[in-house]
Every structure is written in structure tokens, then in C-alpha cells.
Amino acid sequence: MKSKSIQSMTKIAMFAAIIAVCSLISIPLPSGIPVTLQTFAIALTGFVLGWKDGTISVAVYLAIGAVGVPVFSGFTGGFAKLFGVTGGYLWGFLGMVALCGAAVNKSRILTGILSVVGLLVCCHGFGALQFAFVSGSSPVEAFMIASAPYLIKDIASVAVAYMIAIALKRAMSLRRA
């Protein structure tokens, strides 16, 4: 039993590190919201670890960033980042990873598609609402500035993360056999 919990903790830490690395790969845009690989990393974490360990991994990532380690986009960190214009996306990652973890075991295509829509609504909903609140813009304006330009990239990121997760899970199960 001990080795299973050590393996679980190791995976949680490893995926928190993957999220951090994918967050650092960013292209700044005038809106203040950079293009990153965070959505890919969050989806991959949920698909591989499941909702429980995936959520813990994202919480670890957020806690590390909150204490000032520069793991957020643009090599930033600190508690204030969670409440800035991009902080809503960071909070939305908690719901997104949980939904990815729950969706991965669904065999029906319609359920999977609805899950992907739900997880993107979670991430972009929190992100756009906080962007609107912090920037003083309307929710519609915030969505058009802070979410709409990123939706196609995020849908592709989730799809690629799912395919990689399937391959990773297959490789991990072959290794155990």
C-alpha cells in the first residue's frame, strides 16, 4: 500500500512540474493574456491522473506559484497573480482538471464532447469573469478579448492531450505487466 501512495505522490509532483514548464512557454499578447501550453498541461494532468490526483496536482502548482515561485506564465509568481487579470484562468484550472479526470473514463462520444465543452466553459468562464472584474470591462467584452481568441487553440490542446494521455496510460500499463 505504501508504494502506491508514493507512486501517486510522485505522479502528482511530476504533473505539477509539467504544468509549470508548459506555463513558462508563453507568447505575450496585447490583451495581457499570453498564449501558453497551460490548457494542454491541465487537460493532460486530468486525463492521466484522474479527477482526484489531477486536482491535487493543480492545487500544488497553484500553491507553489502563490508563494512566489515563478511558475506562472511569463516567469511570474506570487499571491497577487491569482487575483490579477489572468487569475481567473488559474482558478478555473481546478474545475477543468477535475472535469478532464471525470471525462476520461466516459466511453460515449457525446458525453466526451459535452465534457470538453464543460471543461472549457469552466476555464474560460472563470477567466473571462475575473478579467472583466479586474479590468472593468463588461463580461461580453471580456469574453471577446480574453477568451474567444484562445478557444480554437484550447480545443486543439485538449484533443492532443487526450491522445497523448491514451498513449501514456497504455505505456504505463505495459510497463507494469
Side-chain angles (χ1 to χ4, degrees):
M1 190 65 142
K2 247 184 183 180
S3 69
K4 182 156 174 67
S5 69
I6 291 171
Q7 285 178 348
S8 179
M9 287 188 299
T10 303
K11 288 178 187 176
I12 288 167
M14 182 178 71
F15 275 89
I18 289 170
I19 296 166
V21 169
C22 287
S23 298
L24 298 177
I25 301 168
S26 71
I27 302 167
L29 294 179
S31 67
I33 299 173
V35 174
T36 69
L37 294 176
Q38 285 174 306
T39 307
F40 165 79
I42 298 297
L44 183 66
T45 300
F47 291 145
V48 173
L49 297 183
W51 76 268
K52 185 179 177 184
D53 285 353
T55 303
I56 294 169
S57 184
V58 171
V60 167
Y61 162 72
L62 293 175
I64 289 169
V67 298
V69 178
V71 295
F72 297 147
S73 65
F75 289 90
T76 60
F79 195 69
K81 189 75 171 174
L82 295 171
F83 297 99
V85 290
T86 60
Y89 295 97
L90 296 170
W91 294 114
F93 290 159
L94 289 167
M96 183 181 167
V97 74
L99 288 171
C100 285
V104 74
N105 296 325
K106 305 295 183 205
S107 59
R108 295 180 154 196
I109 289 182
L110 180 60
T111 306
I113 290 169
L114 290 175
S115 296
V116 168
V117 169
L119 65 93
L120 288 174
V121 165
C122 181
C123 178
H124 283 265
F126 277 99
L129 285 175
Q130 187 162 324
F131 184 91
F133 180 75
V134 173
S135 70
S137 56
S138 73
V140 172
E141 186 179 32
F143 173 78
M144 295 308 292
I145 294 168
S147 287
Y150 304 89
L151 286 174
I152 293 173
K153 180 218 46 111
D154 286 349
I155 291 167
S157 294
V158 171
V160 170
Y162 183 76
M163 290 184 277
I164 291 173
I166 290 170
L168 279 173
K169 286 181 143 189
R170 192 172 296 137
M172 289 189 299
S173 67
L174 289 175
R175 189 168 178 242
R176 285 188 206 134

